[in-house]
Amino acid sequence: MKKIVGILVAAAVAASAFAAELSAGVRLAGDLFNYDGATGDVKALVLKNENQFWHAPLTLSISSDRAGGTFKFTDGDNGSTFTTGKWAIWFKPFDMLKVNLGTIDKSMNVETIDYGGRLINYDSWGASLDVNVDAFSMTLSLVTAKNTPWFSKPNGGDVSVGQLNFYAQYGADFGTISAMFDATNKFDTLSFGVGYKNTFDPVTIFVDAAFYKAATNGIGADFDIVFAQDALNIQAYVQWKATDLSNIGTSSMTLLTLAKFAYTLDKGTVYLYFKDANILASNFGCTIKPGFTSSVGIMAYEIAVQFDIASSVKISVPVNFKVNF
């Protein structure tokens, strides 16, 4: 922990010396109550270790006009130690060109209910170039595993390459169109997708379509709609995938459904969340979660009642706290 504090102090000193902006956040989650209908077990007052980097316990970012970096720390060994599993550095040699080194995360249009809907995406280690010219932008990425070369050829062996990704986007009055291509090794596994997004105030929509080539070929499509006006925000998202075109049926198809209703009051925001990972599944299962978000000073918090419904019902009261500074 002393090392983490030292990093924060050093970053703050560096930010002050070079007129850079520093931001950080500390997150803690838990359950006030948890009931498992399958076993009858009851638990209360549980503080969790969040091991997912997209929900990291500690984040740190520092940036200036020309360069910056982001660190995401997660806990190991039951929270007694921290590891820096994901970090990235970026810099701009020119206004229109940005170089990213480290963790590279790219995707097609993404819903904002819980970011579970990504038709094509990757999150890996490597380098990327972002080019922005007026309404047009594109990203070329070379990604692979850590400590692994993107290109290698052993003496007398076969050539091996990592993952190649290309993303392009163009925005105009008619909306924003995008395309994404992702391939690994010798193009034996690849994904290709196109997307469209636009706002017709107070409604915003996006739609994507994708093709996947792997051991079996597949296709996918998703649609998202957001209605946002004054204190009211309603969003719905659906994602359909067929993983085997040679055998189309419910066994090779999934239909993810997400929805969230939110209304902002003077003291915070009340919401109702719904998720069904696969409506087409033979066994019904979903999550229903009414909740409330607010803040106390620089700390944001969330409390909800969550019902996980399957062959049995699990009931929990999750809480989430985050301090940003």
Side-chain angles (χ1 to χ4, degrees):
M1 192 64 182
K2 291 181 179 179
K3 292 183 179 179
I4 302 298
V5 175
I7 291 173
L8 293 174
V9 173
V13 172
S16 176
F18 295 100
E21 295 183 1
L22 174 68
S23 63
V26 179
R27 184 189 300 272
L28 182 63
D31 279 343
L32 297 183
F33 173 83
N34 191 300
Y35 167 75
D36 190 333
T39 62
D41 293 345
V42 176
K43 300 178 182 178
L45 301 178
V46 179
L47 290 179
K48 298 180 179 179
N49 298 324
E50 293 295 345
N51 293 304
Q52 305 92 348
F53 286 103
W54 56 88
H55 200 233
L58 178 61
T59 59
L60 173 65
S61 296
I62 185 169
S63 64
S64 66
D65 292 338
R66 288 292 186 180
T70 300
F71 304 87
K72 290 187 177 182
F73 301 88
T74 190
D75 55 321
D77 192 20
N78 295 320
S80 61
T81 61
F82 274 89
T83 59
T84 311
K86 293 185 181 293
W87 68 92
I89 291 175
W90 64 267
F91 61 93
K92 286 186 174 182
F94 310 103
D95 288 339
M96 60 177 288
L97 179 64
K98 182 180 179 182
V99 180
N100 305 279
L101 304 171
T103 299
I104 307 297
D105 188 351
K106 201 68 179 179
S107 63
M108 295 287 289
N109 291 314
V110 179
E111 52 80 25
T112 57
I113 298 173
D114 66 6
Y115 299 96
R118 294 187 172 196
L119 200 62
I120 298 179
N121 83 289
Y122 66 89
D123 182 2
S124 192
W125 191 253
S128 70
L129 297 178
D130 295 338
V131 178
N132 293 276
V133 181
D134 299 325
F136 175 77
S137 63
M138 69 176 189
T139 301
L140 176 63
S141 305
L142 304 177
V143 295
T144 184
K146 291 180 181 177
N147 300 317
T148 302
W150 187 83
F151 174 90
S152 65
K153 184 183 184 306
N155 186 19
D158 295 330
V159 171
S160 176
V161 296
Q163 190 171 352
L164 170 68
N165 182 279
F166 177 78
Y167 176 85
Q169 175 181 293
Y170 180 78
D173 294 338
F174 57 78
T176 300
I177 56 175
S178 56
M180 189 170 184
F181 174 82
D182 184 73
T184 59
N185 207 341
K186 300 177 182 178
F187 294 87
D188 50 356
T189 301
L190 61 85
S191 303
F192 172 75
V194 293
Y196 173 78
K197 183 176 183 179
N198 203 356
T199 297
F200 310 92
D201 195 36
V203 174
T204 298
I205 64 168
F206 74 70
V207 60
D208 303 298
F211 169 78
Y212 311 97
K213 177 183 181 296
T216 58
N217 297 330
I219 56 175
D222 66 356
F223 175 76
D224 183 271
I225 182 169
V226 180
F227 176 88
Q229 189 170 41
D230 300 327
L232 179 63
N233 186 288
I234 302 173
Q235 183 176 5
Y237 174 83
V238 293
Q239 181 192 99
W240 173 81
K241 282 186 177 181
T243 57
D244 188 355
L245 295 180
S246 64
N247 183 26
I248 293 292
T250 56
S251 62
S252 63
M253 293 191 299
T254 58
L255 182 61
L256 165 70
T257 304
L258 294 167
K260 188 174 183 179
F261 170 94
Y263 191 85
T264 302
L265 306 169
D266 290 339
K267 300 298 184 180
T269 299
V270 293
Y271 69 84
L272 177 63
Y273 166 95
F274 172 85
K275 177 180 180 180
D276 190 321
N278 184 15
I279 289 181
L280 303 177
S282 57
N283 297 320
F284 175 76
C286 73
T287 297
I288 300 173
K289 183 169 68 173
F292 177 76
T293 62
S294 187
S295 62
V296 177
I298 62 172
M299 184 193 75
Y301 68 89
E302 176 181 4
I303 182 170
V305 179
Q306 181 169 319
F307 302 88
D308 294 302
I309 303 170
S311 57
S312 61
V313 178
K314 294 181 179 180
I315 304 173
S316 60
V317 182
V319 290
N320 196 321
F321 305 91
K322 186 175 183 181
V323 176
N324 295 298
F325 55 93

